[in-house]
Amino acid sequence: MAGSVNKVILVGNLGRDPEVRRLGNGEPVVNLRIATSETWKDKGTGERKEKTEWHSVVIFNENLGRVAEQYLKKGSKVYIEGQLQTRKWTDQQGQEKYSTEVVLQRFRGELTILDSRGGGASEFGDEEPGQVARGGEFGRSPPMERRPEPAGASRHSDFDDDIPF
Amino acid sequence: MAGSVNKVILVGNLGRDPEVRRLGNGEPVVNLRIATSETWKDKGTGERKEKTEWHSVVIFNENLGRVAEQYLKKGSKVYIEGQLQTRKWTDQQGQEKYSTEVVLQRFRGELTILDSRGGGASEFGDEEPGQVARGGEFGRSPPMERRPEPAGASRHSDFDDDIPF
Amino acid sequence: MAGSVNKVILVGNLGRDPEVRRLGNGEPVVNLRIATSETWKDKGTGERKEKTEWHSVVIFNENLGRVAEQYLKKGSKVYIEGQLQTRKWTDQQGQEKYSTEVVLQRFRGELTILDSRGGGASEFGDEEPGQVARGGEFGRSPPMERRPEPAGASRHSDFDDDIPF
Amino acid sequence: MAGSVNKVILVGNLGRDPEVRRLGNGEPVVNLRIATSETWKDKGTGERKEKTEWHSVVIFNENLGRVAEQYLKKGSKVYIEGQLQTRKWTDQQGQEKYSTEVVLQRFRGELTILDSRGGGASEFGDEEPGQVARGGEFGRSPPMERRPEPAGASRHSDFDDDIPF
DNA sequence: TTTT
DNA sequence: TTTT
């Protein structure tokens, strides 16, 4: 529909390491499981309570997928921006099922790592992390100069590297 | 979890009139069905394509529920802010099912009507609409004065009317 | 800083027609003036009050700039997503000034027209409007197929048209 | 204006300790200075570049102000949600100035602490942190039960404690 | 089931 | 300077 917005913003932690499938051309498709939670105080008992919500995230965005694959692990805290999508599927018993996911389409969405070094509980080495990446770019574009001079900016030059951060 | 965010922002149109259930105390619980869609041009055929996504929205917020009940109808365009929640239920065949909804909790979320008079295709009368409402208030609080004087502001007085807009 | 987010979301109306400057290469840079407002009821007098906030928006994103230039006019209602930027400048009296703007960088941000036909009060003709556009694309990419087959997707083919909607 | 949205979302770090003023009734008004930044690679030189943006945040929301006062310090990483406001003032030379701030009004906005123990560089003791707080509540409301029974929920009971987290 |  |  003309004039619609479908946006999900999550800040939460990975419940497990990212799951990576790979397309024929080598592009990763990454699935994340992210927990958000709320805490409150029960007014009757005074107890602290907590309710956790689990979210399935699917990253089709190539650059963000590579960032997720390389730097995220179980326990990592991330900022994620995607869109809601519900898909229908049939289980092995022939039952129709619906799954709603937060999807980062190709060239869309955002993923920002919020803990240093990707945080997390994994035993894997801690390479220098790449903490920010955005969907609508191949590599990274520099922030456009404000009040730009009317000098010709070659569009091509914005895309000559393919490193996501 | 400490430090998490769970937020959904939708701008879309109601696929049908709001469905209202009522709690024992008279508070409405309102269900909306909202469509968002994307359009693009198929590069092979040049055809214009469209994909619509349907969202289930549940409003527990009392004021926003009353606004939805009174002013929204099939076709209305709204801005909605809520949170993602997935609940498990068992159907009549004993099958476990999961449903993911966008929930506006009590005293939380936002709902803004984006078309004049609530828009829509319903045959019902067009009363004067109340187009903006926010979750964290009983009635409406005035915007706080900037750089306020250190004069005592009585909190109570912010809540002495219960009109949502 | 690694791990930061700078995002502004506005839904409001244009106070005047868009202002368009043009770069040496023909790319438009579009300035919008957008009003948002809040209404509330004064508890003392029972009067309805309103406070309007004006926002300066600058669109460096080429596609979104073209959409704004073609379809927006005074009075149009839009959804805008950009980032906050403050720039320093010196006025004619040599005074240092600061201006904060909502900026849609190249290949970034979103702009969605929320009224049919771009709405508005302008005397200009009402061409067929293009109501949705997104920053991170040259033309429009189709939504990625869910659960994609491992067939090689040629990235180039996503960009072979330059029509923003 | 009916049907408008004015929302800013920031994830960034405090450049200095919070500044607290106090109203006549003891409510805190807290000013924060928050940095966000972007990094990219210069395509000519291959250098890594960074551009930092500084944001002024003003918290009139009483609960969030108390959280900020108690748990934030220089270096803390926060998620902030507020609205854009520009105010005019006159400097000591009689010059008119404009300042744009991200404002968390009374009972509005969100503040979430993203680093454990409030993070930061301050020398002060590390009390148990309160990492999540939301504007539209006095104390904390429990998440509303889904599919609630039509049993009367006493509204009063949601507000009988005044602890922000 | 909406909207364009 | 918009909109309701």
Side-chain angles (χ1 to χ4, degrees):
Chain A
M1 160 193 336
S4 70
V5 173
N6 174 359
K7 183 174 293 288
V8 180
I9 290 172
L10 300 176
V11 174
N13 294 71
L14 272 69
R16 52 177 187 243
D17 287 346
E19 291 170 9
V20 184
R21 294 173 296 131
R22 209 160 289 278
L23 302 184
N25 60 1
E27 289 189 29
V29 176
V30 179
N31 287 262
L32 306 178
R33 195 75 180 148
I34 293 182
T36 58
S37 72
E38 305 183 69
T39 56
W40 71 98
K41 212 176 191 167
D42 186 286
K43 294 144 311 174
T45 66
E47 280 180 290
R48 217 172 168 62
K49 300 220 169 181
E50 182 172 39
K51 180 163 174 285
T52 296
E53 191 71 36
W54 286 96
H55 309 271
S56 289
V57 175
V58 190
I59 306 175
F60 292 108
N61 179 301
E62 183 181 353
N63 281 331
L64 301 186
R66 292 195 201 286
V67 169
E69 186 181 12
Q70 277 194 35
Y71 298 113
L72 297 182
K73 40 185 182 287
K74 183 178 173 179
S76 297
K77 173 162 285 191
V78 288
Y79 171 97
I80 286 273
E81 201 175 313
Q83 62 182 182
L84 273 185
Q85 283 187 8
T86 298
R87 69 193 162 82
K88 192 183 188 173
W89 52 287
T90 307
D91 73 5
Q92 293 167 328
Q93 283 71 44
Q95 295 286 327
E96 288 191 345
K97 304 272 190 179
Y98 292 85
S99 292
T100 300
E101 295 158 324
V102 177
V103 176
L104 283 70
Q105 296 286 11
R106 293 216 283 176
F107 314 114
R108 308 256 304 261
E110 296 190 26
L111 185 161
T112 300
I113 304 179
L114 293 177
D115 41 13
S116 35
R117 315 181 71 64
S122 158
E123 74 278 26
F124 299 117
D126 275 336
E127 311 87 354
E128 166 82 74
Q131 280 129 324
V132 183
R134 219 166 308 259
E137 301 157 61
F138 291 157
R140 287 292 306 216
S141 322
M144 177 67 175
E145 274 308 300
R146 307 300 335 286
R147 304 299 180 210
E149 301 297 323
S154 158
R155 175 198 276 173
H156 227 75
S157 63
D158 289 318
F159 295 109
D160 56 3
D161 78 81
D162 212 359
I163 302 162
F165 53 87
Chain B
M1 154 197 339
S4 70
V5 173
N6 174 359
K7 182 175 293 289
V8 180
I9 290 172
L10 299 177
V11 173
N13 295 71
L14 272 68
R16 53 178 186 241
D17 286 345
E19 290 171 10
V20 184
R21 293 173 297 129
R22 209 161 289 279
L23 302 183
N25 60 1
E27 288 188 30
V29 176
V30 179
N31 286 264
L32 305 178
R33 195 75 178 147
I34 293 182
T36 57
S37 72
E38 305 183 68
T39 55
W40 71 97
K41 212 178 192 165
D42 186 284
K43 295 145 309 175
T45 67
E47 282 181 288
R48 217 173 169 59
K49 300 220 168 182
E50 180 172 42
K51 180 162 173 286
T52 295
E53 193 70 35
W54 286 97
H55 310 272
S56 289
V57 175
V58 190
I59 306 176
F60 292 109
N61 178 301
E62 183 181 353
N63 281 329
L64 300 186
R66 292 196 200 285
V67 169
E69 187 180 11
Q70 276 193 36
Y71 298 112
L72 296 183
K73 41 185 181 285
K74 182 176 173 181
S76 297
K77 174 162 284 191
V78 288
Y79 171 97
I80 286 274
E81 201 175 313
Q83 61 183 183
L84 271 185
Q85 283 187 9
T86 298
R87 70 193 161 81
K88 192 182 186 173
W89 52 287
T90 308
D91 73 5
Q92 293 167 328
Q93 283 72 45
Q95 295 287 326
E96 288 190 346
K97 303 273 189 178
Y98 292 85
S99 292
T100 300
E101 294 157 326
V102 177
V103 176
L104 283 68
Q105 296 286 11
R106 293 217 282 175
F107 315 114
R108 308 255 304 261
E110 296 190 26
L111 185 161
T112 300
I113 305 180
L114 293 178
D115 40 14
S116 34
R117 313 182 72 65
S122 158
E123 73 279 24
F124 300 118
D126 275 337
E127 311 87 353
E128 166 82 74
Q131 279 130 322
V132 183
R134 219 167 308 258
E137 300 158 62
F138 290 158
R140 288 293 304 219
S141 322
M144 178 67 176
E145 274 307 301
R146 307 301 333 286
R147 303 300 180 210
E149 302 296 323
S154 160
R155 175 198 275 171
H156 227 74
S157 63
D158 289 319
F159 295 108
D160 57 4
D161 77 82
D162 213 0
I163 303 162
F165 53 87
Chain C
M1 160 193 338
S4 69
V5 173
N6 174 0
K7 183 175 293 289
V8 180
I9 290 173
L10 299 176
V11 173
N13 294 71
L14 272 68
R16 53 177 186 241
D17 287 344
E19 290 171 8
V20 185
R21 295 173 296 130
R22 209 161 289 279
L23 302 183
N25 60 0
E27 289 188 30
V29 176
V30 179
N31 287 264
L32 305 178
R33 194 75 180 148
I34 292 182
T36 58
S37 71
E38 304 182 71
T39 56
W40 71 97
K41 212 178 191 166
D42 185 285
K43 295 143 310 173
T45 67
E47 282 180 288
R48 216 170 170 61
K49 299 220 170 182
E50 180 173 41
K51 179 163 174 285
T52 296
E53 191 72 35
W54 286 97
H55 309 272
S56 290
V57 174
V58 189
I59 306 175
F60 293 108
N61 178 300
E62 182 181 354
N63 282 331
L64 300 186
R66 292 196 201 286
V67 169
E69 187 181 12
Q70 276 194 35
Y71 299 112
L72 296 183
K73 40 186 182 285
K74 182 177 173 178
S76 297
K77 174 163 283 190
V78 288
Y79 172 97
I80 286 272
E81 202 176 313
Q83 60 182 183
L84 271 186
Q85 283 187 9
T86 298
R87 70 191 161 81
K88 192 181 185 174
W89 52 287
T90 307
D91 73 6
Q92 293 167 327
Q93 284 71 45
Q95 294 287 325
E96 288 191 347
K97 304 272 189 179
Y98 291 84
S99 292
T100 299
E101 294 157 324
V102 176
V103 175
L104 283 69
Q105 296 286 9
R106 294 217 282 175
F107 314 115
R108 308 256 304 263
E110 296 191 27
L111 185 161
T112 301
I113 304 180
L114 293 177
D115 41 13
S116 36
R117 316 180 70 64
S122 159
E123 73 278 26
F124 300 117
D126 276 338
E127 310 87 354
E128 166 82 75
Q131 279 129 325
V132 183
R134 220 166 307 261
E137 299 158 63
F138 290 158
R140 288 292 303 217
S141 322
M144 177 68 174
E145 272 308 300
R146 306 301 334 285
R147 304 303 179 207
E149 302 296 324
S154 157
R155 175 198 274 170
H156 226 74
S157 63
D158 289 318
F159 295 109
D160 57 6
D161 78 81
D162 212 0
I163 304 163
F165 54 89
Chain D
M1 164 192 334
S4 71
V5 173
N6 174 0
K7 184 176 292 289
V8 179
I9 290 172
L10 300 177
V11 173
N13 294 71
L14 272 69
R16 52 177 187 240
D17 287 346
E19 291 170 8
V20 185
R21 293 174 297 130
R22 209 160 290 278
L23 302 184
N25 60 0
E27 288 188 30
V29 176
V30 180
N31 287 263
L32 306 178
R33 195 76 181 150
I34 294 182
T36 58
S37 71
E38 305 182 71
T39 55
W40 71 97
K41 212 177 191 168
D42 186 286
K43 295 144 311 175
T45 67
E47 282 180 288
R48 219 173 167 59
K49 299 219 170 181
E50 181 173 39
K51 180 163 174 284
T52 296
E53 191 72 36
W54 286 95
H55 309 271
S56 289
V57 175
V58 190
I59 306 176
F60 293 108
N61 179 301
E62 181 181 354
N63 281 331
L64 301 186
R66 292 196 201 285
V67 169
E69 187 180 11
Q70 276 193 36
Y71 298 112
L72 297 183
K73 41 186 180 285
K74 182 178 173 178
S76 297
K77 173 163 283 191
V78 289
Y79 172 98
I80 286 271
E81 201 176 312
Q83 59 182 185
L84 271 185
Q85 284 187 9
T86 298
R87 70 191 160 83
K88 191 181 186 174
W89 53 286
T90 307
D91 73 5
Q92 293 167 327
Q93 284 70 44
Q95 294 287 326
E96 289 190 346
K97 304 272 190 178
Y98 292 85
S99 292
T100 299
E101 294 158 324
V102 176
V103 176
L104 283 69
Q105 297 286 10
R106 293 217 283 175
F107 314 115
R108 309 256 304 262
E110 296 190 26
L111 185 161
T112 300
I113 305 180
L114 293 177
D115 41 14
S116 37
R117 315 182 71 64
S122 158
E123 74 277 25
F124 300 118
D126 276 338
E127 311 88 354
E128 166 83 74
Q131 280 128 325
V132 184
R134 219 165 309 259
E137 299 158 62
F138 291 157
R140 288 292 305 215
S141 322
M144 176 68 174
E145 273 308 300
R146 305 302 333 287
R147 302 303 179 209
E149 301 297 323
S154 157
R155 174 199 275 172
H156 226 75
S157 63
D158 289 318
F159 296 109
D160 57 5
D161 78 81
D162 212 0
I163 304 163
F165 54 89

